[in-house]
Amino acid sequence: MEEEKKSRFKRICVFCGSSSGKKPTYQEAAVELGKELVERKIDLVYGGGSVGLMGLVSQAVHDGGRHVLGVIPRTLMPLEITGQTIGEVRAVSGMHQRKAEMARQADAFIALPGGYGTLEELLEVITWAQLGIHRKPVGLLNVEGYYNSLLSFLDKAVDEGFISPTSRRIIVSAPSAKQLVRELEEHIPEYDEITSKLNWEDVERLNYIPPDESDVPT
């Protein structure tokens, strides 16, 4: 039983909403994911704060004794915006640096239900995987079919020739945390012929910080 819970991941990055959503099942899924990470001895990196699903998953991991790293832009640090960050806090200058640092720290990615920010983070790490910038599994926790329309859109994009079948398989989707993490453990990334020849070493891989990002007044 102990052997079954051994993970190849040291830390997983979770993207999710700063709102809790209307259905209790979204909140339950966030807690379930946190507990699954604890059972597999996986640490968490997330966007910081203690509100919404972000707070639930981070609290569950922290309560289970695993390390929690919250990466948050200084502008969003006031307590009235995000609440008290759980675990270790790493302040960064802006949103681009936040995503790069979260990606650098993680061995895999999981998206819980969320809004614009969650989708933007999810699609960016999928794009990075498509381009060969990283080779880390990307998972979608499709609670009660929340992401069905997104998955249908991606299938439509494949049918219309905008996404290759290989790139479509970047995303691993499952309805429960236990099933999703298990499938991520078994996932082997695929790359098409062009992507496999790209070399991103000269752009410092995931450490890109756009010019002027650090010049935002504080």
Side-chain angles (χ1 to χ4, degrees):
M1 188 66 168
E2 199 61 36
E3 186 66 27
E4 291 176 2
K5 292 297 180 181
K6 188 175 181 180
S7 176
R8 68 183 173 114
F9 306 127
K10 292 182 178 179
R11 184 184 287 138
I12 287 180
C13 175
V14 175
F15 304 129
C16 57
S18 56
S19 298
S20 297
K22 292 184 176 180
K23 295 181 179 179
T25 46
Y26 299 145
Q27 300 153 41
E28 292 164 6
V31 174
E32 179 194 2
L33 176 58
K35 290 180 177 179
E36 184 65 21
L37 296 184
V38 170
E39 281 189 34
R40 290 178 178 269
K41 297 180 172 54
I42 302 172
D43 294 333
L44 171 72
V45 58
Y46 80 118
S50 60
V51 296
L53 299 187
M54 297 171 72
L56 290 172
V57 67
S58 58
Q59 191 67 59
V61 174
H62 187 266
D63 289 348
R66 302 306 304 174
H67 185 261
V68 175
L69 173 62
V71 183
I72 186 167
R74 293 184 184 89
T75 303
L76 297 181
M77 287 187 73
L79 295 183
E80 64 269 19
I81 299 177
T82 60
Q84 182 69 50
T85 294
I86 296 162
E88 180 186 349
V89 182
R90 186 160 302 174
V92 293
S93 60
M95 298 298 284
H96 293 285
Q97 187 180 4
R98 178 199 218 178
K99 290 182 293 183
E101 180 63 15
M102 289 167 70
R104 189 177 71 84
Q105 292 288 334
D107 301 312
F109 306 92
I110 290 177
L112 279 160
Y116 286 139
T118 302
L119 282 174
E120 191 266 344
E121 291 167 330
L122 170 67
L123 292 174
E124 182 149 15
V125 295
I126 290 170
T127 303
W128 287 348
Q130 180 183 29
L131 293 172
I133 295 175
H134 73 76
R135 300 198 170 198
K136 303 174 181 181
V138 181
L140 201 59
L141 189 46
N142 192 20
V143 184
E144 287 197 3
Y146 180 79
Y147 282 115
N148 282 353
S149 348
L150 173 62
L151 294 170
S152 295
F153 163 75
L154 297 175
D155 291 335
K156 177 69 172 177
V158 173
D159 292 341
E160 297 297 332
F162 290 103
I163 294 177
S164 71
T166 298
S167 294
R168 172 64 180 84
R169 290 192 289 272
I170 289 171
I171 306 175
V172 177
S173 176
S176 72
K178 192 171 294 291
Q179 181 182 341
L180 180 59
V181 176
R182 183 174 64 247
E183 292 186 15
L184 288 175
E185 297 273 12
E186 299 168 354
H187 182 69
I188 300 174
E190 301 176 57
Y191 297 93
D192 58 38
E193 186 177 353
I194 295 176
T195 300
S196 64
K197 294 178 180 177
L198 296 177
N199 186 342
W200 293 95
E201 295 297 331
D202 293 338
V203 295
E204 298 181 335
R205 299 180 73 79
L206 296 179
N207 293 320
Y208 171 69
I209 302 173
D212 302 325
E213 187 68 30
S214 59
D215 297 333
V216 177
T218 58

PDB file of all heavy atoms in Angstrom, residues 16 93 99 102 159 169:
ATOM      1  N   CYS A  16      -6.054  27.431  -9.657  1.00  0.00           N
ATOM      2  CA  CYS A  16      -7.476  27.336  -9.312  1.00  0.00           C
ATOM      3  C   CYS A  16      -8.028  28.702  -8.967  1.00  0.00           C
ATOM      4  O   CYS A  16      -7.290  29.689  -8.887  1.00  0.00           O
ATOM      5  CB  CYS A  16      -7.696  26.370  -8.148  1.00  0.00           C
ATOM      6  SG  CYS A  16      -6.801  26.767  -6.644  1.00  0.00           S
ATOM      7  N   SER A  93       7.629  40.399  -8.628  1.00  0.00           N
ATOM      8  CA  SER A  93       7.277  41.747  -9.073  1.00  0.00           C
ATOM      9  C   SER A  93       5.986  41.805  -9.882  1.00  0.00           C
ATOM     10  O   SER A  93       5.310  42.825  -9.897  1.00  0.00           O
ATOM     11  CB  SER A  93       8.419  42.338  -9.903  1.00  0.00           C
ATOM     12  OG  SER A  93       8.663  41.528 -11.032  1.00  0.00           O
ATOM     13  N   LYS A  99       4.146  33.344 -12.847  1.00  0.00           N
ATOM     14  CA  LYS A  99       3.929  32.111 -13.621  1.00  0.00           C
ATOM     15  C   LYS A  99       5.237  31.379 -13.893  1.00  0.00           C
ATOM     16  O   LYS A  99       5.306  30.144 -13.812  1.00  0.00           O
ATOM     17  CB  LYS A  99       3.211  32.437 -14.928  1.00  0.00           C
ATOM     18  CG  LYS A  99       1.764  32.849 -14.741  1.00  0.00           C
ATOM     19  CD  LYS A  99       1.080  33.117 -16.063  1.00  0.00           C
ATOM     20  CE  LYS A  99       1.674  34.340 -16.745  1.00  0.00           C
ATOM     21  NZ  LYS A  99       0.977  34.663 -18.014  1.00  0.00           N
ATOM     22  N   MET A 102       6.407  29.710 -10.570  1.00  0.00           N
ATOM     23  CA  MET A 102       5.577  28.556 -10.243  1.00  0.00           C
ATOM     24  C   MET A 102       5.931  27.375 -11.142  1.00  0.00           C
ATOM     25  O   MET A 102       6.062  26.236 -10.681  1.00  0.00           O
ATOM     26  CB  MET A 102       4.095  28.916 -10.398  1.00  0.00           C
ATOM     27  CG  MET A 102       3.581  29.867  -9.330  1.00  0.00           C
ATOM     28  SD  MET A 102       1.959  30.565  -9.734  1.00  0.00           S
ATOM     29  CE  MET A 102       0.900  29.134  -9.548  1.00  0.00           C
ATOM     30  N   ASP A 159     -10.057  18.891 -34.931  1.00  0.00           N
ATOM     31  CA  ASP A 159     -10.819  18.567 -36.140  1.00  0.00           C
ATOM     32  C   ASP A 159     -10.607  19.598 -37.238  1.00  0.00           C
ATOM     33  O   ASP A 159     -10.567  19.265 -38.434  1.00  0.00           O
ATOM     34  CB  ASP A 159     -12.319  18.477 -35.822  1.00  0.00           C
ATOM     35  CG  ASP A 159     -12.662  17.292 -34.935  1.00  0.00           C
ATOM     36  OD1 ASP A 159     -11.831  16.349 -34.870  1.00  0.00           O
ATOM     37  OD2 ASP A 159     -13.738  17.305 -34.310  1.00  0.00           O
ATOM     38  N   ARG A 169      -3.018  15.667 -26.751  1.00  0.00           N
ATOM     39  CA  ARG A 169      -2.778  14.680 -25.708  1.00  0.00           C
ATOM     40  C   ARG A 169      -1.883  15.208 -24.577  1.00  0.00           C
ATOM     41  O   ARG A 169      -1.581  14.483 -23.622  1.00  0.00           O
ATOM     42  CB  ARG A 169      -2.179  13.410 -26.318  1.00  0.00           C
ATOM     43  CG  ARG A 169      -3.179  12.626 -27.165  1.00  0.00           C
ATOM     44  CD  ARG A 169      -2.654  11.237 -27.516  1.00  0.00           C
ATOM     45  NE  ARG A 169      -1.569  11.278 -28.478  1.00  0.00           N
ATOM     46  CZ  ARG A 169      -1.725  11.266 -29.804  1.00  0.00           C
ATOM     47  NH1 ARG A 169      -2.947  11.240 -30.328  1.00  0.00           N
ATOM     48  NH2 ARG A 169      -0.673  11.291 -30.608  1.00  0.00           N
TER      49      ARG A 169
END
